[in-house]
Amino acid sequence: MATAETEVHLWKFHKELSAGIVSLVLLGVLAAARQPMYGYQIARQLELTGEGVLSGKQSALYPVLRNLDTAGLLASEVEPSVAGPPRRYYRITPLGRRVLEQWTYAWATTRDFVDTVLEGA
């Protein structure tokens, strides 16, 4: 049962854990996409598949998308919108796919290690 004292630690843990995971899942969503996606579409996809894990963090996705774009892992293009401001569409690059493969392996080995340690706790 969470108390005020443990809630602070849980919040900090989630914040630290989210930093790298958001980049990983953004690359994963865009790797699976059949066409480029804009930020809100990506956020909705994460809400539908993430069971609330990243809920309320939609605004945090945009800086990460920009960083991945700047790093060459994503490419983006702005398109005019009929109903509102222009939208920036993102797609994963070949470099992004290679990095995603490496990050996926790193995630799996880290997850397996943590699971092994926690099973003994």
Side-chain angles (χ1 to χ4, degrees):
M1 181 159 107
T3 64
E5 185 179 34
T6 61
E7 284 292 325
V8 171
H9 294 288
L10 180 60
W11 176 84
K12 184 178 178 193
F13 177 73
H14 275 287
K15 182 180 177 189
E16 292 171 356
L17 192 60
S18 292
I21 292 174
V22 170
S23 294
L24 175 62
V25 297
L26 287 174
L27 288 180
V29 165
L30 288 165
R34 296 176 189 193
Q35 56 193 8
M37 298 174 72
Y38 58 94
Y40 182 74
Q41 286 178 311
I42 297 167
R44 288 291 300 144
Q45 182 66 37
L46 291 174
E47 283 180 23
L48 293 173
T49 58
E51 297 180 15
V53 171
L54 296 174
S55 65
K57 295 187 168 87
Q58 181 180 342
S59 62
L61 299 180
Y62 294 99
V64 178
L65 286 167
R66 284 191 298 273
N67 289 341
L68 294 171
D69 190 7
T70 300
L73 305 181
L74 299 179
S76 67
E77 162 175 329
V78 176
E79 292 187 14
S81 173
V82 177
R87 292 182 176 153
R88 181 170 296 276
Y89 285 83
Y90 294 91
R91 65 177 169 74
I92 192 167
T93 63
L95 174 61
R97 288 185 187 280
R98 294 192 305 273
V99 167
L100 175 60
E101 186 177 314
Q102 292 176 336
W103 287 3
T104 301
Y105 176 77
W107 167 256
T109 56
T110 302
R111 180 199 59 221
D112 292 348
F113 167 73
V114 171
D115 285 348
T116 300
V117 170
L118 292 179
E119 286 171 4

